[in-house]
Every structure is written in structure tokens, then in C-alpha cells.
Amino acid sequence: MTAPAPHQPTPHQPAPHQPAPHRSASHQPASHQVTVLAIAPVVAFDLSIPAQMLATVPSSTDHAAYRVRTATPDGAPVSTAHGYGVTPEGDLSLLEHADTVIVAGTRSPALLDEGVLDPAIVEALREARRRARMVSLCTGAFALAAAGLLEGRRAATHWRYADHFTRLFPAIALDTNPLYVDDRGVLTSAGGAAAIDLCLHLIREDHGSSVANQVARYNVVAPMREGGQAQYIDHPVSEDAGTSTAGARALMTKHLDRRLSLRDLAAHCHMSVRTFTRRFRQETGLSPAEWFTSARLKHARYLLESTDLPVDDIAAECGLGSGTNLRQHMRISLDTTPSAYRRAFRSTTAERTPPRP
């Protein structure tokens, strides 16, 4: 996903969240404070995902990488959309000390049908935005929109509620295609399992791709779904060898350093180039070239974190050609350079990175 242009912060819109600098053992950083806001009736699946994903991030200090707490507007138990209640740890005051605020999906008729949000919640979200990274899962985007935090930004929400969102908030650039959108420190996701992808993205931004991959493996989920991948497939396709492009993706992953043409990939799947290209986009939401570049860049990030290889060697091993080309890709997609990325993530992941596959 292409990174937005650098943004100058305002009093109501601080700079995008950046990973905390590495500190010595004598000055161990405290846990990153995460508050998940539940608005009744809350989507229970969304409410559970941040705690599950963030709690499994490995830590090399005495502190957990993240401390996740649940809040409701008044601190009282909240009803879910699935017939049971949840007891929170506190009320809106928990947002005051959060480094990241996550608004879980909700089925609130007032919010989804009329765009109406309790003024106390609006004030708490706006105040939290002065300090914290703001995140919504599924229909939680309606709350961020009602609080005025999505104005001038791209946003995502569950495709089923896209028409409602556009009717209520026509000035917001809703994108119904991606799994999640990261726009200058305000992040929104589509529905369902896209919340998992967004949480992995948060971990990747805070701790690097190696740690995110470990968390994905522990939770038995795919680490490779990019934010720009399509939310859903209009015409689901079978995964058998005769109709799926999975074999081509496996070939590309195995041979990142090779030049594989569309003709080569289509032939590997026993398809015409036209059929292969159409089916590949149906299955992944990306073109073969976009997917291949994304896979190469992911591996480059892994090598920057886990090895001392020179940038030119990493670029060659990942099929990105020269170090100049790798720098260009990282500047476009991550708004950083290979050396800056290595400085930010190498020291924080060295003790936790598994052996190179």
C-alpha cells in the first residue's frame, strides 16, 4: 500500500505513530497502552481480536509489548450483538492514557442509521487523537467519522455498510476495496477477519515484519494479506490445481530473485495469460506484478531485520535489482529507507527473530 505524503501535525492531528526508540535494559520501555472502546451492541469478534493478537507479541523486556484494556462509555458491562455481555476494565477515562485507541465494530442503530454518537464519546475520541494512534475495526469507522477524525482521509469499513457510510459522511473518501487503510496515524479496517490483518499491520509497524510473522504463525493466520487486498471475491474460485493461481504464487515466493513473466506463470497454471491475469486478481485483489513486488519487499524487510547483508545484496536476493531500486520501493511504500528501517527494527527484533527459513 502506497504511503501517504509526509504530513505536518496540527493540534488536533499529531504526527503519525512511530515505533518507540530502542532503550537499554536499564531503561526498559513500559508496555504500549491500548484501549479498545466497545459501543453497544459491540461486535464480539472485533472486541476479542486486539487482545488476542497483541498479547502474543514477544517481548525481550520485563514488560509485555502491549497492555490491552477494554472500555465502555460509562464503565458498565456492554451488550454484544451476539447475545451476551462483556465486563470492561473501565470507562472513557482509559482513553486518556492510551498510546493506541481501537474502536471495535458496533451494531448501534443510532450510529449506523443516523450517524449519531454520544457527545461524551465524541469528546473523548477527539481528545485522545491529540496523543494516540486511532484505529477502527469494521463499523467502528462510523464512530471515528462521527467524531470528525476521518475528515480529509481515506477510510475503510465493512462493505455491507458502505452505502450507509457514504450517505451519512459524504465528505469522507470511503474505499470499499481494501482490507484496511492507514492514513497518517488513523487506521480503519474492513469487516470480519480484516481486523486481524490490521492488528498484524500495527505489530509490523511497531516491531517489524519478523515479529509480525511470529504472531501470525502463533495465531495460525496468514501473514501475507496486504491492506490493499480485496475485501471479498465477487465470484469465488476453487483452489484446485486446475482453476487456482495458488501454484504461481508459490512459484513466485520460492523464486523471488528470478524474472518470471506472465507467460511463465500462466503456463505453470496451465492457463492462457488473459485467464491467469483475471483469475489472479479475483483471488488476491492485486495484479501479478503488484503481488510479486509486495512479496519481494516483505522478504527484503525480513532480511534487513535479521541479517547484516548489504543493501545491494538484499536487493539482488529479493529480485529488486539494485540497492537504488530497493530504496525507491521502500520510500514509496513505507516512506523510509533501508538503513533507517534497519536501525528502527534490527535492535528490537534481534533477540526474538527465529532462524531464517
Side-chain angles (χ1 to χ4, degrees):
M1 182 172 61
T2 302
H7 178 67
Q8 295 298 321
T10 68
H12 292 282
Q13 195 171 317
H17 173 82
Q18 296 294 333
H22 181 66
R23 302 174 185 175
S24 65
S26 60
H27 296 86
Q28 293 180 356
S31 301
H32 184 103
Q33 302 295 311
V34 179
T35 297
V36 184
L37 178 60
I39 301 172
V42 68
V43 178
F45 185 59
D46 293 353
L47 192 59
S48 67
I49 287 173
Q52 173 63 30
M53 300 301 293
L54 301 180
T56 52
V57 174
S59 175
S60 59
T61 74
D62 293 336
H63 299 284
Y66 298 92
R67 182 186 180 190
V68 183
R69 297 188 290 180
T70 301
T72 58
D74 57 2
V78 62
S79 62
T80 71
H82 311 285
Y84 59 90
V86 174
T87 301
E89 292 188 58
D91 57 16
L92 291 174
S93 64
L94 291 182
L95 276 64
E96 298 174 5
H97 309 289
D99 301 305
T100 295
V101 172
I102 301 177
V103 183
T106 177
R107 296 291 183 263
S108 166
L111 183 57
L112 300 186
D113 296 339
E114 303 172 26
V116 174
L117 185 62
D118 184 332
I121 301 177
V122 171
E123 182 179 356
L125 290 174
R126 288 177 176 174
E127 183 62 29
R129 176 56 189 145
R130 293 175 180 270
R131 305 170 306 279
R133 174 172 59 185
M134 305 300 288
V135 179
S136 69
L137 308 178
C138 191
T139 52
F142 282 72
L144 295 188
L149 301 183
L150 295 180
E151 293 179 5
R153 301 177 187 274
R154 289 175 58 241
T157 192
H158 195 296
W159 60 267
R160 183 177 179 181
Y161 295 91
D163 290 341
H164 294 264
F165 190 96
T166 301
R167 174 175 57 82
L168 293 170
F169 310 107
I172 296 173
L174 183 68
D175 193 337
T176 58
N177 290 317
L179 295 173
Y180 59 83
V181 170
D182 182 345
D183 192 336
R184 294 166 289 161
V186 179
L187 301 93
T188 52
S189 82
I196 297 174
D197 299 293
L198 180 50
C199 284
L200 286 173
H201 174 71
L202 296 177
I203 296 167
R204 191 177 299 115
E205 293 302 300
D206 291 347
H207 299 282
S209 58
S210 295
V211 174
N213 289 346
Q214 290 182 67
V215 173
R217 182 179 182 183
Y218 179 84
N219 288 283
V220 198
V221 296
M224 288 294 290
R225 299 209 313 169
E226 278 293 333
Q229 182 168 326
Q231 285 193 33
Y232 65 97
I233 299 171
D234 287 318
H235 306 289
V237 292
S238 169
E239 285 292 324
D240 71 45
T243 62
S244 173
T245 61
R249 295 194 293 277
L251 183 67
M252 286 188 278
T253 301
K254 185 177 181 180
H255 300 294
L256 294 173
D257 59 334
R258 291 189 186 180
R259 285 190 175 184
L260 297 173
S261 68
L262 274 177
R263 189 179 299 277
D264 295 332
L265 297 171
H268 186 77
C269 295
H270 308 289
M271 299 178 188
S272 68
V273 170
R274 182 176 180 180
T275 298
F276 171 80
T277 303
R278 182 182 69 253
R279 194 169 296 277
F280 194 99
R281 186 174 288 277
Q282 285 179 328
E283 292 181 13
T284 68
L286 302 171
S287 71
E290 290 169 336
W291 194 95
F292 207 5
T293 298
S294 175
R296 284 167 162 164
L297 190 54
K298 279 182 176 291
H299 190 51
R301 292 170 69 173
Y302 176 84
L303 293 177
L304 286 169
E305 295 171 21
S306 59
T307 74
D308 293 318
L309 288 173
V311 171
D312 284 337
D313 291 352
I314 290 176
E317 181 165 336
C318 296
L320 292 171
S322 66
T324 300
N325 198 30
L326 174 57
R327 292 183 186 92
Q328 181 179 2
H329 279 291
M330 293 195 70
R331 176 64 67 187
I332 292 172
S333 62
L334 301 172
D335 195 24
T336 190
T337 63
S339 58
Y341 185 88
R342 176 172 265 164
R343 284 196 303 271
F345 292 114
R346 179 65 192 277
S347 60
T348 61
T349 60
E351 299 179 15
R352 298 172 290 179
T353 301
R356 178 178 165 186

